[in-house]
Amino acid sequence: MGVVDREFEKLEAAFQAKVEAEQRIEPKDWMPEKYRQTLIRQMSQHAHSEVVGMLPEGNWLTRAPSLKRKAILMAKIQDEGGHGLYLYSATETLGISRDQMFDQLHSGKAKYSSIFNYPTLNWADIGAIGWLVDGAAITNQIALCRCSYGPYARAMIRICKEESFHQRQGYEIMMTMAQGTEEQRDMAQDALNRWWWPTLMMFGPNDSNSAHSAQSMQWKIKRQSNDELRQKFVDATVPQAEFLNLRIPDDQLKWNEDRGHYDFGEIDWEEFRNVVKGNGLCNRERLQARVDAHEGGRWVREAALAHARKQEARKAAAAA
Amino acid sequence: MTDKDMLFDYLLRLGDNSLILGQRLAEWCGHAPMLEEDLALTNIGLDLLGQARMFLSYAGEVEGNGRDEDRLAYFRDTKDWRNLLLLEQPNGDFAMTMARQFFFDSFQYLQFEALSNSTDERLAGIAAKSLKETTYHRRHSTDWIIRLGDGTDESHERMQRAIEALWGYLPEMFDMDAVDEAMVVDGIGADVAALRPEWDEYVNGVLTEATLTRPEDSWSVRGSREGKHSEHLGYILAEMQFLPRAYPDAKW
Ligand SMILES: [Fe+2]
Ligand SMILES: [Fe+2]
């Protein structure tokens, strides 16, 4: 074994010891290249999800049924954009630029949460997204607040504070709809039927099939397994659905006294893979909308840059 | 028209302006040229929506027929809307959106400044709060006029085209009809015709700094104070009002 290898092993051992000791890894600290790559993949995917996630909700912004709902939804979507911004900056600490991340998104190399490839078809979908999708996101993100990478953990703490408002406003929409006219109840049930299973898929593959999980757990990027988090979400959400008097579309859903958890049916992983592969109802539109915004905005960004350069040149000329 | 009718109409004009422009900005959501601008546009849209809600709630109370902000926003058809023609014009490209915003912000800044001295205390309060917001909006749109005007050849061309396309909608902002006159006499409303010189001075200054050419006053259209609109408003309303109209018994 060469000197370089031994040196590397020492660094890696020190890194792992730091992680075990629950100390945060900071951008300037040494880290294994694969740790860095894993974080870039996960964090940029997270940032992209916040931004792509603005689209299905934005789809109802101009049609919100009261001015108060419109204002709440607008504030919520604005928060999501803000989350995207923090997360892009946190990811930049790993040595990748926002433009590079956009390129990866637009070329299909980087993913975003597949949940946003489903369409928002009625107003209750806005309720279901807040209640279920933000609810699932919170479950994941609370676990990430203790992630070993400092900038990610701090971004998550900041984001989690805003997320509970998102879930509350969603649940409130569902409540109003569930207690409303027959047509509104139908919309609420229809939304729950369509969003329930895709939400459970948000936690990722079963632990037995999860490609990245073991290493991420060892690095304490991940603190709880996909299945643990999914169970936690189901246990918290079932009573909320009962309170709304809405039916969760799963015949096998049942309280299990021995386990102290709800049992639930098998996820249709074929559908999951299919949507990830690009066969969801909105995959092409979502990505195209982002590409169009970016390409269509190029002249604006170039103008801002050109103007800033001119200003600087003038300042320099005035100083000379 | 009684005094009450006139005040109601006057408040509708203020509320409808903010609401229709806010609705237009909401269309940008998720599609802006950069993420920072997505946030800025929703921020401004939220302010406008907040202003609209205050003006419309007040209008409903003045009218005294039990119409609240939502009844006024969702159950009036085009002929009863009082927003300026400028504000219902489509977003177009980012230059068009910013030009529309800039012309209105710089007008609204002066109008709110005047209205914050209104003898109607509630109106004065809403105007004072809105003035703070509009100060930020005006700074934001002014910066973009300058950046795009004095940016690249392409951005300069786009911005020049945008201000020319909107120029004829601007005189309407400074029109005074019987309602405006009555509001001015009572010390409630703003003398918008008198705001023109100061508006011109500000706008000219910004256009010069942006290396843009102030268009000739060759055309102008008007009518919103009597409910005469362009064809665009009908589509805005069809989209905005769809749910409450389709399910009139529902509460949301
Ligand atoms: Fe978020
Ligand atoms: Fe959220």
Side-chain angles (χ1 to χ4, degrees), chain A residues 125-316:
Chain A
D125 287 32
I126 299 306
I129 288 183
W131 173 37
L132 300 174
V133 176
D134 285 87
I138 294 169
T139 310
N140 272 325
Q141 287 167 3
I142 286 177
L144 285 169
C145 289
R146 296 190 301 124
C147 160
S148 60
Y149 188 57
Y152 197 20
R154 287 190 291 274
M156 282 301 115
I157 291 168
R158 206 163 149 196
I159 287 172
C160 277
K161 284 192 190 134
E162 291 174 354
E163 288 294 350
S164 60
F165 146 68
H166 296 177
Q167 193 185 23
R168 219 171 331 115
Q169 63 89 32
Y171 193 67
E172 208 186 281
I173 291 175
M174 289 307 273
M175 178 91 84
T176 310
M177 303 283 283
Q179 294 172 348
T181 64
E182 210 179 305
E183 286 155 322
Q184 285 178 300
R185 274 198 65 78
D186 281 349
M187 289 184 215
Q189 184 62 57
D190 175 48
L192 176 56
N193 291 347
R194 282 180 289 108
W195 290 95
W196 176 255
W197 288 106
T199 303
L200 293 193
M201 294 173 197
M202 283 174 69
F203 295 93
N206 290 125
D207 295 348
S208 46
N209 296 321
S210 181
H212 307 290
S213 277
Q215 180 65 82
S216 285
M217 295 281 258
Q218 196 205 343
W219 279 333
K220 295 193 195 283
I221 293 174
K222 235 172 136 67
R223 310 293 306 229
Q224 276 178 297
S225 78
N226 294 352
D227 285 331
E228 279 166 4
L229 291 167
R230 188 163 18 238
Q231 183 72 60
K232 206 169 175 178
F233 172 79
V234 170
D235 290 347
T237 309
V238 172
Q240 294 168 356
E242 280 168 1
F243 190 77
L244 294 173
N245 242 322
L246 294 177
R247 194 190 153 274
I248 288 177
D250 178 358
D251 291 334
Q252 282 155 272
L253 187 75
K254 209 169 109 245
W255 177 252
N256 182 325
E257 195 63 57
D258 296 339
R259 291 203 309 126
H261 290 294
Y262 283 95
D263 291 336
F264 53 95
E266 190 52 44
I267 289 169
D268 181 355
W269 292 111
E270 195 42 47
E271 178 187 323
F272 178 72
R273 276 187 293 274
N274 203 30
V275 175
V276 170
K277 249 184 1 209
N279 299 318
L281 271 161
C282 298
N283 296 58
R284 279 141 291 118
E285 278 118 304
R286 299 288 187 244
L287 196 57
Q288 195 60 48
R290 289 313 311 158
V291 171
D292 289 348
H294 193 71
E295 293 303 319
R298 187 180 298 284
W299 69 270
V300 177
R301 299 190 301 276
E302 282 171 359
L305 207 66
H307 178 71
R309 288 209 186 104
K310 283 185 193 175
Q311 289 286 83
E312 253 169 53
R314 276 177 213 135
K315 232 190 262 165

Side-chain angles (χ1 to χ4, degrees), chain A residues 62 64 69 98 184 290 301, chain B residues 30 33 36 74 239 251-252:
Chain A
T62 54
R69 292 284 181 217
R98 211 204 289 182
Q184 285 178 300
R290 289 313 311 158
R301 299 190 301 276
Chain B
E36 285 79 356
Y74 290 93
E239 186 172 341
K251 287 193 181 55
W252 307 92

Side-chain angles (χ1 to χ4, degrees), chain A residues 50 80 83 163:
Chain A
E50 300 282 359
E80 306 298 9
H83 297 172
E163 288 294 350

